[in-house]
Amino acid sequence: MRGVILAAGQGQRLRPDTDRLPKTLLPVTGSETILDTIVRGLAEVDVTDIAITVGHAAERIREHAPVLEARYGVAVTIVDNDKPHWNNAYSLWTAREHYADGAILVNGDTVHPASIERNLLEAAKDDQRLLLALDDHKQLTDEAMKVAIGEHGVELIHKVQPVATAAGEYIGVSLIPAGIAEELTKALEATYTRDTTLYYEDAYQLLAEAGRIGTVSTGPVRWTEVDDHADWALAKEIAELAERSRQQGAELAERSRRQGAERSSEHGAGAL
């Protein structure tokens, strides 16, 4: 299982911060960017072979790739999107070799916990469909990538559909099984050749109509897609909270280790 991260977009609603920087490299903590949080999450579930599609300000991601590899113990392959002004159906198609044997796909602007990937991997043991991470807890908006579910799985994935009949929001993380990879590649090609402004979710819709897509609940977790400065502020809040939680966990583990070592030392002294 590989990781594929889409990071070729221009992030126009985040200008001027993204004039010369991909939005995936916007900082969310003192040491991590959005991309860092995604790569760390993949590494936490042992997905360490990662392809990143690049387009806008691609050289900045190339420069950061060795940092990602050293920091998280991953191998990064850069995939050039020669048409970053097209929408992301084409961007995902450029990574077709990298999802051919199965992959977790992550939008490069989504800040979320690693439990999302963990849940997808667990569900994939018994479900051979392409699986969407679905937030079925928060209140939906018109802007959300809404998902409607029927008897055979996902029936509709699109922003333009009634909130009342949608089951939840697709958060931009999905699992592509090897058995569906070729079908997805054909659907992506049909999608971007029809209209270069279409999303990869439009290709997913073609698969949904064939009963090939299921969903996995995210559970009540905090996440955000970073489209504008308000989203970026929320991403910082989520990432900083997660960082503090990890630090506290590490401190507790170290304290427990030291207490264990002290007890062992005391028992050893008593035996003497």
Side-chain angles (χ1 to χ4, degrees), residues 172-196:
V173 185
S174 50
L175 188 146
I176 303 167
I180 292 180
E182 187 175 350
E183 292 175 64
L184 174 59
T185 297
K186 291 177 181 177
L188 288 165
E189 189 167 356
T191 298
Y192 76 73
T193 54
R194 174 162 53 97
D195 185 344
T196 61

Side-chain angles (χ1 to χ4, degrees), residues 124-250:
K125 293 176 181 177
D126 301 311
D127 194 335
Q128 300 307 306
R129 296 174 297 178
L130 191 153
L131 299 173
L132 309 180
L134 185 75
D135 185 341
D136 50 6
H137 287 74
K138 79 174 190 180
Q139 185 173 350
L140 294 174
T141 64
D142 290 337
E143 180 66 16
M145 183 59 73
K146 294 177 283 296
V147 176
I149 298 175
E151 183 181 352
H152 302 293
V154 172
E155 290 187 343
L156 181 61
I157 174 170
H158 205 281
K159 291 182 179 181
V160 184
Q161 62 173 296
V163 168
T165 55
E169 178 178 2
Y170 169 54
I171 77 163
V173 185
S174 50
L175 188 146
I176 303 167
I180 292 180
E182 187 175 350
E183 292 175 64
L184 174 59
T185 297
K186 291 177 181 177
L188 288 165
E189 189 167 356
T191 298
Y192 76 73
T193 54
R194 174 162 53 97
D195 185 344
T196 61
T197 68
L198 292 176
Y199 296 88
Y200 74 79
E201 288 92 345
D202 292 296
Y204 276 12
Q205 178 59 35
L206 298 179
L207 299 182
E209 290 165 7
R212 304 290 271 161
I213 299 190
T215 62
V216 177
S217 175
T218 62
V221 300
R222 297 189 74 196
W223 68 277
T224 189
E225 177 185 25
V226 180
D227 283 330
D228 55 32
H229 286 87
D231 293 337
W232 185 14
L234 177 58
K236 290 177 181 179
E237 181 184 326
I238 292 170
E240 287 167 358
L241 243 139
E243 185 176 57
R244 285 199 295 272
S245 178
R246 286 193 301 274
Q247 288 172 348
Q248 290 169 357

Side-chain angles (χ1 to χ4, degrees), residues 42-121:
L42 289 168
E44 283 182 21
V45 297
D46 298 321
V47 175
T48 56
D49 186 357
I50 298 172
I52 305 174
T53 67
V54 299
H56 171 65
E59 69 282 356
R60 300 297 298 274
I61 295 179
R62 280 194 173 83
E63 291 167 1
H64 194 58
V67 176
L68 296 172
E69 292 180 322
R71 185 177 286 173
Y72 305 108
V74 300
V76 172
T77 301
I78 300 297
V79 179
D80 286 292
N81 176 352
D82 59 331
K83 296 178 174 63
H85 53 291
W86 287 14
N87 217 326
N88 63 18
Y90 180 77
S91 192
L92 180 53
W93 180 84
T94 64
R96 60 198 179 280
E97 294 179 5
H98 300 278
Y99 64 69
D101 294 323
I104 291 179
L105 169 67
V106 186
N107 292 351
D109 60 357
T110 302
V111 174
H112 62 283
S115 62
I116 304 297
E117 283 86 352
R118 193 171 293 112
N119 291 346
L120 286 169
L121 289 167

